Amino acid sequence: MAILGNIIKGVIDLKGTLTSDTNHVEAQRAVLKQLLEKAKDTQFGTHYRFSEILESDTMLSAFAKTVPYFDYNKINEAWWSKLHEGESDVTWPGAPSYFALSSGTTGKTSKRIPVTDDMISAIRESGIKQVFALHNFDLPADFFEKEIMMLGSSTDLEENNDHLEGEISGISASNIPFWFRSYYKPGEDIAKIDDWDARVQRIAERAKDWDIGALSGIPSWIELMLQKVIDHHNLENIHDIWPNLQVYTSGGVAFSPYEKSFNALMGKPVTVIDTYLASEGYVATQVRPETDAMQLNTDSGIYFEFVPFKPEYINKDGSLSQDAPALTLEQVERNQDYVLIMSTVSGAWRYLIGDTIEFTDIERAEIKITGRTKFFLNTVGSQLSVNKMDDAMQKLEEKFSTKIPEYTICAKRGEDDEFYHFWYIGSEAENLDNSEVAEALDGFLKAANKNYKVARSKALKGVKVKLINPSVFHEWSGANKKKGGQVKMERVMGEDKFKEWETFVTQN
């Protein structure tokens, strides 16, 4: 009998029964007030008159009118760069203990995003919320005695003056509570291995020593790790070595493009729970099984605003026009794409995180990630968002009985000087015809997006597809950034980057 598991499950169930529903609108008002109060005497708070905003009868709108939008480059040049020169009390009291390094999906150069002790606490609070939400998933008691494989970036953080630097997943893993360490795999020694291939090799070698009940990590890298374990032990599927694996916590990207390839590695179904941990904070987590949408963490150190995702509000570099309207949680609508704006306990203010979301349930503050501001393809009016592209990939999987975990696209002129969408699609199938897939893809996108259909009848000449092995996408990420961690494949590329990509594909 799972004695410890029954105790833990009992505590979680009791907590779930006693916890009342959060009033997310009120929680957000309280968070903004707390942020302004704590930062009012910082350089940023003084400059933007936080004390006056706090005295306003319309605090939320006064905040939006007074403080401009910031992307990383803008806030780093004006404010965060001072932190690297030894200044303190810049955008948040004191100096940050960590900087999260993030090249994201758009380039080699790492951003250095401050992570304060207050943010570490906020991430931990949101993590505890996620644990208690397991009450809704009705997992068996013995699940709570199993180990958890967290595959993030290295926890061997780099010292830089008076702070540590690394990816957010490595920073978070290095701060796990002491009581959780006996559950945490691959353990501190392996987690510190910086080289991703070497770390995964050690995981494969040790896999038989562990009783894994849950996985956590970016889908593409989790899949590669699972395949390595399967190959190393000559298994049919991962349940042959981890028979008690019951939960996968995805994060950072939509899981749907990876669903088919992920399930192919399983011996039986597992519960998939989506989460949304970014370098700037723990944004949202799925709290109930009836939906794959995630609930915004509205009471844990982040104040959210939402800009309608329309071409007239987005500059060519993906930044926001300063006259773009920002809505509060009280003002949003369902099924509308929004640019996500965050103000946080790490001293990010009205910060463009780069993601777009839509609300599926406003009262519950539940969202889905729909794409990236820089991955919105609007050449010649096609208006394709990443979620529409993901949907099309799933339809191709069904039509051609294949798995498509990765893809990328560029809109550019062909040899005839006409505009085309050039797609590279990852599939191991050997009998697929590029032209046949292109025709089917074009048809799916026309049916799903009226703007695309109109563009195809005018300036968008056609679709060109090249099928390649999915491993090429992983090697591209490894060559341009770093394998594992928070690294994600860029879904849409500009022409200069696409030239580099095509050269890389030819050479590999």
Coordinates of all heavy atoms in Angstrom, one line a residue, residues 194-280:
D194 N 26.9 20.3 -18.5 CA 26.5 21.4 -19.4 C 26.2 20.9 -20.8 O 25.3 21.4 -21.4 CB 27.7 22.5 -19.4 CG 27.2 23.7 -20.2 OD1 26.2 24.3 -19.9 OD2 27.9 24.1 -21.2
D195 N 27.0 19.9 -21.3 CA 26.8 19.4 -22.6 C 25.5 18.5 -22.6 O 25.4 17.5 -21.9 CB 28.0 18.6 -23.0 CG 27.9 18.0 -24.4 OD1 28.2 18.7 -25.4 OD2 27.4 16.9 -24.6
W196 N 24.6 19.0 -23.5 CA 23.3 18.3 -23.5 C 23.4 16.8 -23.9 O 22.7 16.0 -23.2 CB 22.3 19.0 -24.4 CG 20.9 18.6 -24.3 CD1 20.0 19.0 -23.4 CD2 20.2 17.6 -25.1 NE1 18.8 18.4 -23.5 CE2 18.9 17.5 -24.6 CE3 20.6 16.8 -26.1 CZ2 18.0 16.7 -25.1 CZ3 19.7 16.0 -26.7 CH2 18.4 15.9 -26.2
D197 N 24.1 16.5 -24.9 CA 24.3 15.1 -25.3 C 24.9 14.3 -24.2 O 24.5 13.1 -24.0 CB 25.1 15.1 -26.6 CG 24.4 15.7 -27.8 OD1 23.2 15.3 -28.1 OD2 25.0 16.5 -28.5
A198 N 25.9 14.8 -23.6 CA 26.5 14.0 -22.5 C 25.6 13.8 -21.3 O 25.5 12.8 -20.7 CB 27.8 14.8 -22.0
R199 N 24.8 14.9 -21.0 CA 23.8 14.7 -19.9 C 22.7 13.7 -20.3 O 22.4 12.8 -19.4 CB 23.1 16.1 -19.7 CG 22.3 16.1 -18.4 CD 21.8 17.5 -18.0 NE 22.3 18.6 -18.8 CZ 21.5 19.5 -19.4 NH1 20.2 19.5 -19.2 NH2 22.0 20.5 -20.1
V200 N 22.2 13.7 -21.5 CA 21.2 12.7 -21.9 C 21.8 11.3 -21.9 O 21.1 10.3 -21.6 CB 20.6 13.1 -23.3 CG1 19.7 12.0 -23.8 CG2 19.8 14.4 -23.1
Q201 N 23.1 11.2 -22.3 CA 23.7 9.9 -22.3 C 23.8 9.3 -20.9 O 23.5 8.1 -20.6 CB 25.1 10.0 -22.9 CG 25.9 8.7 -22.8 CD 25.3 7.6 -23.7 OE1 24.7 7.9 -24.7 NE2 25.4 6.3 -23.2
R202 N 24.1 10.2 -19.9 CA 24.1 9.7 -18.5 C 22.7 9.4 -18.0 O 22.5 8.4 -17.2 CB 24.7 10.8 -17.6 CG 26.2 11.0 -17.8 CD 27.0 9.8 -17.2 NE 26.9 9.8 -15.7 CZ 26.5 8.7 -15.1 NH1 26.1 7.6 -15.7 NH2 26.5 8.7 -13.7
I203 N 21.7 10.1 -18.5 CA 20.3 9.8 -18.1 C 20.0 8.4 -18.6 O 19.4 7.5 -17.9 CB 19.3 10.8 -18.6 CG1 19.5 12.1 -17.8 CG2 17.9 10.3 -18.6 CD1 18.7 13.3 -18.4
A204 N 20.3 8.1 -19.9 CA 20.1 6.8 -20.5 C 20.7 5.7 -19.7 O 20.1 4.6 -19.5 CB 20.5 6.8 -21.9
E205 N 22.0 5.9 -19.3 CA 22.7 4.9 -18.6 C 22.1 4.6 -17.2 O 22.1 3.5 -16.7 CB 24.2 5.3 -18.4 CG 25.0 5.4 -19.7 CD 26.3 6.1 -19.6 OE1 26.6 6.6 -18.5 OE2 27.0 6.2 -20.6
R206 N 21.6 5.7 -16.6 CA 21.0 5.5 -15.2 C 19.5 5.2 -15.2 O 18.9 5.0 -14.1 CB 21.2 6.8 -14.4 CG 22.7 7.1 -14.0 CD 23.2 6.1 -13.0 NE 22.3 6.0 -11.9 CZ 22.2 6.9 -10.9 NH1 23.0 8.0 -10.9 NH2 21.4 6.7 -9.9
A207 N 18.9 5.2 -16.3 CA 17.4 5.1 -16.4 C 16.8 4.0 -15.7 O 15.8 4.1 -15.0 CB 16.9 5.1 -17.9
K208 N 17.5 2.8 -15.7 CA 17.0 1.6 -15.1 C 17.0 1.7 -13.5 O 16.3 0.9 -12.9 CB 17.8 0.4 -15.5 CG 19.2 0.4 -15.1 CD 20.0 -0.8 -15.6 CE 21.4 -0.8 -15.2 NZ 22.2 0.4 -15.7
D209 N 17.7 2.7 -13.0 CA 17.8 2.8 -11.5 C 16.6 3.7 -10.9 O 16.5 3.8 -9.7 CB 19.1 3.5 -11.1 CG 20.3 2.7 -11.6 OD1 20.2 1.5 -11.6 OD2 21.3 3.4 -11.9
W210 N 15.8 4.2 -11.8 CA 14.8 5.2 -11.4 C 13.4 4.7 -11.7 O 13.2 3.9 -12.6 CB 15.0 6.5 -12.1 CG 16.3 7.2 -11.9 CD1 17.1 7.1 -10.7 CD2 17.0 7.9 -12.8 NE1 18.2 7.8 -10.9 CE2 18.3 8.3 -12.2 CE3 16.8 8.3 -14.2 CZ2 19.2 9.1 -12.9 CZ3 17.8 9.1 -14.8 CH2 19.0 9.4 -14.2
D211 N 12.5 5.1 -10.8 CA 11.0 4.8 -11.0 C 10.3 6.1 -11.3 O 9.7 6.7 -10.4 CB 10.5 4.1 -9.7 CG 9.1 3.6 -9.9 OD1 8.6 3.6 -11.1 OD2 8.5 3.1 -8.9
I212 N 10.4 6.5 -12.6 CA 9.8 7.8 -13.0 C 8.3 7.7 -13.1 O 7.8 6.9 -13.9 CB 10.5 8.2 -14.3 CG1 12.0 8.3 -14.2 CG2 9.9 9.6 -14.8 CD1 12.5 9.3 -13.2
G213 N 7.7 8.7 -12.5 CA 6.2 8.8 -12.6 C 5.8 10.0 -13.4 O 4.6 10.0 -13.9
A214 N 6.7 11.0 -13.5 CA 6.3 12.2 -14.3 C 7.5 12.7 -15.0 O 8.7 12.6 -14.5 CB 5.8 13.3 -13.3
L215 N 7.3 13.4 -16.1 CA 8.3 14.0 -16.9 C 8.0 15.5 -17.0 O 6.8 15.9 -17.0 CB 8.3 13.5 -18.4 CG 8.6 12.0 -18.6 CD1 8.4 11.6 -20.0 CD2 10.1 11.7 -18.2
S216 N 9.0 16.4 -17.1 CA 8.8 17.8 -17.3 C 9.8 18.4 -18.2 O 11.0 18.1 -18.0 CB 8.8 18.5 -15.9 OG 8.7 19.9 -16.0
G217 N 9.4 19.1 -19.2 CA 10.4 19.8 -20.1 C 9.8 20.1 -21.5 O 8.6 19.8 -21.8
I218 N 10.5 20.8 -22.3 CA 10.2 21.2 -23.6 C 9.9 19.9 -24.5 O 10.8 19.0 -24.5 CB 11.2 22.0 -24.3 CG1 11.5 23.3 -23.5 CG2 10.9 22.3 -25.8 CD1 10.4 24.4 -23.7
P219 N 8.8 19.8 -25.2 CA 8.5 18.5 -25.9 C 9.6 18.0 -26.8 O 9.9 16.8 -26.8 CB 7.2 18.9 -26.7 CG 6.6 20.0 -26.0 CD 7.8 20.8 -25.4
S220 N 10.2 18.9 -27.6 CA 11.2 18.4 -28.6 C 12.4 17.7 -27.9 O 12.9 16.6 -28.3 CB 11.7 19.5 -29.5 OG 12.2 20.6 -28.7
W221 N 12.8 18.3 -26.8 CA 14.0 17.7 -26.1 C 13.6 16.5 -25.2 O 14.4 15.6 -25.1 CB 14.7 18.8 -25.3 CG 15.1 20.0 -26.1 CD1 14.6 21.3 -26.0 CD2 16.0 20.0 -27.2 NE1 15.1 22.1 -26.9 CE2 16.0 21.4 -27.7 CE3 16.8 19.1 -27.8 CZ2 16.8 21.7 -28.8 CZ3 17.6 19.4 -28.9 CH2 17.6 20.8 -29.3
I222 N 12.4 16.5 -24.7 CA 11.9 15.4 -24.0 C 11.9 14.2 -24.9 O 12.3 13.0 -24.6 CB 10.5 15.6 -23.3 CG1 10.7 16.5 -22.1 CG2 9.8 14.3 -23.0 CD1 11.2 15.8 -20.8
E223 N 11.4 14.4 -26.1 CA 11.3 13.3 -27.1 C 12.6 12.7 -27.4 O 12.8 11.5 -27.5 CB 10.6 13.7 -28.4 CG 9.1 13.9 -28.2 CD 8.4 14.2 -29.6 OE1 9.1 13.9 -30.6 OE2 7.3 14.6 -29.6
L224 N 13.6 13.6 -27.6 CA 15.0 13.1 -27.9 C 15.6 12.3 -26.8 O 16.2 11.3 -27.0 CB 15.9 14.2 -28.3 CG 15.6 14.9 -29.7 CD1 16.6 16.0 -29.9 CD2 15.7 13.9 -30.8
M225 N 15.3 12.8 -25.5 CA 15.8 12.1 -24.4 C 15.1 10.7 -24.3 O 15.8 9.7 -24.0 CB 15.5 12.9 -23.1 CG 16.0 12.2 -21.8 SD 14.8 11.1 -21.0 CE 13.6 12.3 -20.5
L226 N 13.8 10.6 -24.4 CA 13.1 9.3 -24.4 C 13.6 8.4 -25.4 O 13.8 7.2 -25.2 CB 11.6 9.6 -24.5 CG 10.9 10.3 -23.4 CD1 9.5 10.6 -23.7 CD2 11.1 9.6 -22.1
Q227 N 13.8 8.9 -26.7 CA 14.3 8.0 -27.7 C 15.7 7.5 -27.4 O 16.0 6.3 -27.7 CB 14.4 8.8 -29.0 CG 14.6 7.9 -30.3 CD 13.5 6.9 -30.5 OE1 12.4 7.3 -30.7 NE2 13.9 5.6 -30.5
K228 N 16.5 8.3 -26.8 CA 17.9 7.9 -26.4 C 17.8 6.8 -25.3 O 18.5 5.8 -25.4 CB 18.7 9.1 -25.8 CG 20.1 8.8 -25.4 CD 20.9 8.6 -26.7 CE 22.4 8.5 -26.3 NZ 23.3 8.3 -27.5
V229 N 16.9 6.9 -24.4 CA 16.7 5.8 -23.4 C 16.2 4.6 -24.0 O 16.7 3.5 -23.7 CB 15.8 6.3 -22.3 CG1 15.4 5.2 -21.3 CG2 16.3 7.5 -21.5
I230 N 15.3 4.7 -24.9 CA 14.7 3.5 -25.6 C 15.8 2.8 -26.4 O 15.9 1.6 -26.4 CB 13.5 3.9 -26.5 CG1 12.3 4.4 -25.6 CG2 13.1 2.8 -27.4 CD1 11.2 5.0 -26.4
D231 N 16.6 3.6 -27.2 CA 17.6 3.0 -28.0 C 18.7 2.3 -27.2 O 19.2 1.2 -27.5 CB 18.2 4.0 -28.9 CG 17.3 4.5 -30.0 OD1 16.2 3.9 -30.2 OD2 17.5 5.6 -30.6
H232 N 19.1 3.0 -26.1 CA 20.2 2.5 -25.2 C 19.9 1.2 -24.6 O 20.7 0.3 -24.5 CB 20.5 3.5 -24.1 CG 21.7 3.2 -23.2 ND1 23.0 3.4 -23.6 CD2 21.7 2.6 -22.0 CE1 23.8 3.0 -22.7 NE2 23.0 2.5 -21.7
H233 N 18.6 1.0 -24.2 CA 18.2 -0.3 -23.6 C 17.5 -1.2 -24.5 O 16.9 -2.2 -24.1 CB 17.3 0.1 -22.4 CG 18.1 0.8 -21.3 ND1 18.9 0.2 -20.3 CD2 18.2 2.2 -21.0 CE1 19.4 1.1 -19.5 NE2 19.0 2.3 -19.9
N234 N 17.4 -0.8 -25.8 CA 16.8 -1.7 -26.8 C 15.3 -2.0 -26.4 O 14.9 -3.2 -26.4 CB 17.6 -3.0 -27.0 CG 17.2 -3.7 -28.3 OD1 16.7 -3.1 -29.3 ND2 17.3 -5.0 -28.3
L235 N 14.5 -1.0 -26.2 CA 13.2 -1.1 -25.7 C 12.2 -0.9 -26.8 O 12.5 -0.3 -27.9 CB 12.9 -0.1 -24.6 CG 13.9 0.0 -23.4 CD1 13.5 1.1 -22.5 CD2 13.9 -1.3 -22.6
E236 N 10.9 -1.4 -26.6 CA 9.8 -1.1 -27.6 C 9.3 0.3 -27.3 O 9.0 1.1 -28.3 CB 8.7 -2.1 -27.4 CG 9.0 -3.5 -27.9 CD 9.2 -3.5 -29.4 OE1 8.4 -2.8 -30.1 OE2 10.0 -4.3 -29.9
N237 N 9.2 0.7 -26.0 CA 8.7 2.0 -25.7 C 9.2 2.4 -24.3 O 9.8 1.6 -23.6 CB 7.2 2.1 -25.8 CG 6.5 1.1 -24.8 OD1 6.6 1.2 -23.6 ND2 5.9 0.0 -25.4
I238 N 9.0 3.6 -23.9 CA 9.5 4.1 -22.6 C 8.9 3.4 -21.4 O 9.5 3.3 -20.3 CB 9.4 5.6 -22.5 CG1 10.4 6.2 -21.4 CG2 8.0 6.1 -22.2 CD1 11.9 5.9 -21.7
H239 N 7.7 2.9 -21.5 CA 7.0 2.2 -20.4 C 7.7 0.9 -20.1 O 7.4 0.3 -19.0 CB 5.5 2.1 -20.6 CG 4.8 3.3 -20.3 ND1 4.2 4.2 -21.3 CD2 4.4 3.9 -19.1 CE1 3.6 5.2 -20.7 NE2 3.7 5.1 -19.4
D240 N 8.5 0.4 -21.0 CA 9.2 -0.9 -20.7 C 10.2 -0.7 -19.6 O 10.6 -1.7 -18.9 CB 9.9 -1.4 -22.0 CG 9.0 -1.9 -23.0 OD1 7.8 -2.2 -22.7 OD2 9.4 -2.1 -24.2
I241 N 10.7 0.5 -19.4 CA 11.7 0.8 -18.4 C 11.1 1.6 -17.2 O 11.5 1.5 -16.1 CB 13.0 1.4 -19.0 CG1 14.1 1.3 -18.0 CG2 12.7 2.9 -19.4 CD1 15.5 1.7 -18.6
W242 N 10.1 2.5 -17.6 CA 9.4 3.3 -16.6 C 7.9 3.0 -16.6 O 7.1 3.8 -17.1 CB 9.7 4.8 -16.8 CG 11.1 5.2 -16.6 CD1 12.0 4.6 -15.8 CD2 11.8 6.3 -17.3 NE1 13.2 5.3 -15.9 CE2 13.1 6.4 -16.8 CE3 11.4 7.3 -18.2 CZ2 14.0 7.3 -17.2 CZ3 12.3 8.3 -18.6 CH2 13.6 8.3 -18.1
P243 N 7.6 1.8 -16.1 CA 6.2 1.4 -16.2 C 5.2 2.2 -15.5 O 4.0 2.2 -15.8 CB 6.2 0.0 -15.6 CG 7.4 0.0 -14.7 CD 8.4 0.9 -15.4
N244 N 5.6 3.0 -14.5 CA 4.7 3.9 -13.7 C 4.6 5.3 -14.2 O 4.1 6.2 -13.5 CB 5.2 3.8 -12.2 CG 5.0 2.4 -11.6 OD1 4.0 1.8 -11.7 ND2 6.1 1.9 -11.1
L245 N 5.2 5.6 -15.3 CA 5.1 6.9 -15.9 C 3.6 7.2 -16.2 O 3.0 6.6 -17.0 CB 6.0 7.0 -17.2 CG 5.9 8.3 -18.0 CD1 6.3 9.5 -17.1 CD2 6.7 8.2 -19.2
Q246 N 3.1 8.3 -15.6 CA 1.7 8.6 -15.7 C 1.4 10.1 -16.2 O 0.3 10.4 -16.6 CB 0.9 8.4 -14.4 CG 1.0 6.9 -13.9 CD 0.2 6.8 -12.7 OE1 -1.0 6.9 -12.7 NE2 0.9 6.4 -11.6
V247 N 2.4 11.0 -16.0 CA 2.1 12.4 -16.2 C 3.3 13.0 -17.0 O 4.5 12.7 -16.7 CB 2.0 13.2 -14.9 CG1 1.9 14.7 -15.1 CG2 0.7 12.7 -14.2
Y248 N 3.0 13.8 -18.0 CA 4.0 14.6 -18.7 C 3.6 16.1 -18.5 O 2.5 16.5 -19.0 CB 4.1 14.2 -20.1 CG 4.9 15.2 -20.9 CD1 6.2 15.7 -20.5 CD2 4.5 15.7 -22.1 CE1 6.9 16.7 -21.2 CE2 5.2 16.7 -22.9 CZ 6.4 17.1 -22.4 OH 7.1 18.1 -23.1
T249 N 4.4 16.9 -17.9 CA 4.2 18.3 -17.8 C 5.0 19.0 -19.0 O 6.2 19.1 -18.9 CB 4.7 18.9 -16.5 OG1 3.9 18.2 -15.4 CG2 4.4 20.4 -16.3
S250 N 4.3 19.5 -20.0 CA 4.9 20.2 -21.1 C 5.1 21.6 -20.7 O 4.6 22.1 -19.7 CB 4.0 20.0 -22.3 OG 4.5 20.7 -23.4
G251 N 5.8 22.4 -21.6 CA 6.0 23.8 -21.2 C 6.7 24.5 -22.3 O 7.5 24.0 -23.1
G252 N 6.3 25.8 -22.4 CA 7.0 26.7 -23.3 C 6.5 26.9 -24.7 O 6.6 27.9 -25.3
V253 N 5.9 25.8 -25.2 CA 5.4 25.8 -26.6 C 4.1 24.9 -26.6 O 3.8 24.2 -25.7 CB 6.3 25.2 -27.6 CG1 7.6 26.0 -27.8 CG2 6.7 23.7 -27.2
A254 N 3.3 25.1 -27.6 CA 2.1 24.3 -27.7 C 2.5 22.8 -27.9 O 3.4 22.5 -28.7 CB 1.3 24.8 -28.9
F255 N 1.8 21.9 -27.2 CA 2.1 20.5 -27.3 C 1.6 19.8 -28.5 O 2.1 18.8 -29.0 CB 1.6 19.8 -26.0 CG 1.8 18.3 -26.0 CD1 3.0 17.8 -25.9 CD2 0.7 17.5 -26.1 CE1 3.2 16.4 -25.9 CE2 0.9 16.1 -26.1 CZ 2.1 15.6 -26.0
S256 N 0.5 20.4 -29.1 CA -0.2 19.7 -30.2 C 0.7 19.2 -31.3 O 0.5 18.1 -31.8 CB -1.4 20.6 -30.7 OG -0.9 21.8 -31.1
P257 N 1.7 20.0 -31.8 CA 2.5 19.6 -32.9 C 3.3 18.3 -32.6 O 3.7 17.6 -33.5 CB 3.4 20.7 -33.2 CG 2.7 21.9 -32.7 CD 2.0 21.4 -31.4
Y258 N 3.5 18.1 -31.3 CA 4.4 17.0 -30.9 C 3.6 15.8 -30.4 O 4.1 14.7 -30.1 CB 5.3 17.4 -29.7 CG 6.2 18.6 -30.1 CD1 5.8 19.9 -29.8 CD2 7.4 18.4 -30.7 CE1 6.6 21.0 -30.2 CE2 8.2 19.5 -31.1 CZ 7.8 20.8 -30.8 OH 8.6 21.8 -31.2
E259 N 2.2 15.9 -30.3 CA 1.4 14.9 -29.7 C 1.6 13.5 -30.3 O 1.8 12.5 -29.6 CB -0.1 15.3 -29.8 CG -1.0 14.4 -29.0 CD -2.4 14.9 -29.0 OE1 -2.7 15.9 -29.6 OE2 -3.2 14.3 -28.3
K260 N 1.6 13.5 -31.7 CA 1.6 12.2 -32.3 C 3.0 11.5 -32.2 O 3.1 10.3 -31.8 CB 1.3 12.3 -33.8 CG 1.1 11.0 -34.5 CD 0.6 11.2 -35.9 CE 0.3 9.8 -36.6 NZ -0.4 10.0 -37.9
S261 N 4.1 12.3 -32.3 CA 5.4 11.7 -32.2 C 5.7 11.4 -30.7 O 6.4 10.4 -30.4 CB 6.5 12.7 -32.7 OG 6.4 14.0 -32.1
F262 N 5.2 12.1 -29.8 CA 5.3 11.8 -28.3 C 4.6 10.5 -28.0 O 5.2 9.6 -27.3 CB 4.8 13.0 -27.5 CG 4.8 12.8 -26.0 CD1 6.0 13.1 -25.3 CD2 3.7 12.3 -25.3 CE1 6.0 12.9 -23.9 CE2 3.8 12.1 -24.0 CZ 5.0 12.4 -23.3
N263 N 3.4 10.4 -28.4 CA 2.6 9.2 -28.1 C 3.2 7.9 -28.7 O 3.0 6.8 -28.1 CB 1.2 9.4 -28.6 CG 0.4 10.3 -27.7 OD1 0.7 10.6 -26.6 ND2 -0.7 10.9 -28.3
A264 N 3.9 8.1 -29.8 CA 4.6 6.9 -30.4 C 5.7 6.3 -29.5 O 6.1 5.2 -29.7 CB 5.2 7.3 -31.8
L265 N 6.2 7.1 -28.6 CA 7.2 6.6 -27.7 C 6.6 6.0 -26.4 O 7.4 5.5 -25.6 CB 8.1 7.8 -27.3 CG 8.8 8.5 -28.4 CD1 9.6 9.8 -27.9 CD2 9.8 7.6 -29.1
M266 N 5.3 6.1 -26.2 CA 4.6 5.6 -25.0 C 4.1 4.2 -25.3 O 3.8 3.8 -26.4 CB 3.4 6.5 -24.7 CG 3.8 7.9 -24.4 SD 4.8 8.2 -22.9 CE 6.3 8.8 -23.6
G267 N 4.0 3.4 -24.2 CA 3.3 2.1 -24.2 C 1.9 2.2 -23.8 O 1.1 1.2 -24.1
K268 N 1.5 3.3 -23.1 CA 0.1 3.5 -22.7 C -0.1 5.0 -22.5 O 0.9 5.7 -22.5 CB -0.1 2.7 -21.4 CG 0.9 3.0 -20.3 CD 0.7 2.1 -19.1 CE 1.7 2.3 -18.0 NZ 1.6 1.4 -16.9
P269 N -1.3 5.4 -22.5 CA -1.6 6.9 -22.4 C -1.0 7.5 -21.1 O -1.0 6.8 -20.0 CB -3.1 6.9 -22.4 CG -3.6 5.7 -23.0 CD -2.6 4.6 -22.6
V270 N -0.6 8.7 -21.2 CA -0.2 9.5 -20.0 C -1.0 10.8 -20.0 O -1.5 11.2 -21.0 CB 1.3 9.8 -20.0 CG1 2.1 8.5 -20.0 CG2 1.7 10.7 -21.2
T271 N -1.1 11.3 -18.8 CA -1.8 12.6 -18.6 C -0.9 13.7 -19.0 O 0.2 13.8 -18.4 CB -2.3 12.8 -17.2 OG1 -3.2 11.8 -16.9 CG2 -3.0 14.2 -17.0
V272 N -1.2 14.6 -19.9 CA -0.4 15.7 -20.3 C -0.9 17.0 -19.7 O -2.1 17.3 -19.8 CB -0.4 15.9 -21.9 CG1 0.4 17.1 -22.3 CG2 0.2 14.6 -22.5
I273 N -0.1 17.7 -19.0 CA -0.4 19.0 -18.3 C 0.4 20.1 -18.9 O 1.7 20.0 -18.8 CB -0.3 18.8 -16.8 CG1 -1.1 17.7 -16.2 CG2 -0.6 20.2 -16.1 CD1 -0.9 17.5 -14.7
D274 N -0.2 21.1 -19.5 CA 0.6 22.2 -20.0 C 1.0 23.2 -19.0 O 0.2 23.5 -18.1 CB -0.2 22.9 -21.1 CG 0.0 22.2 -22.5 OD1 1.1 21.7 -22.8 OD2 -1.0 22.1 -23.2
T275 N 2.2 23.8 -19.1 CA 2.6 24.9 -18.2 C 3.3 25.9 -19.1 O 3.6 25.7 -20.3 CB 3.6 24.4 -17.1 OG1 4.8 23.9 -17.8 CG2 3.0 23.3 -16.3
Y276 N 3.5 27.1 -18.5 CA 4.0 28.2 -19.3 C 5.0 29.0 -18.4 O 4.7 29.9 -17.7 CB 2.9 29.1 -19.7 CG 3.1 30.3 -20.6 CD1 2.0 31.1 -21.0 CD2 4.4 30.6 -21.1 CE1 2.2 32.2 -21.8 CE2 4.6 31.7 -21.9 CZ 3.5 32.5 -22.3 OH 3.6 33.5 -23.1
L277 N 6.3 28.4 -18.4 CA 7.3 29.1 -17.6 C 8.3 29.8 -18.6 O 8.8 29.1 -19.5 CB 8.1 28.1 -16.8 CG 9.4 28.6 -16.1 CD1 9.0 29.6 -15.1 CD2 10.2 27.4 -15.5
A278 N 8.4 31.1 -18.5 CA 9.2 31.9 -19.4 C 10.4 32.4 -18.6 O 10.4 32.4 -17.3 CB 8.4 33.0 -20.0
S279 N 11.4 33.0 -19.2 CA 12.5 33.6 -18.5 C 12.1 34.7 -17.6 O 12.7 35.0 -16.6 CB 13.5 34.1 -19.5 OG 14.1 33.0 -20.3
E280 N 10.9 35.4 -18.0 CA 10.4 36.5 -17.3 C 9.5 36.1 -16.1 O 9.1 37.0 -15.3 CB 9.7 37.4 -18.2 CG 10.5 38.1 -19.3 CD 10.8 37.2 -20.5 OE1 10.3 36.1 -20.5 OE2 11.6 37.7 -21.4

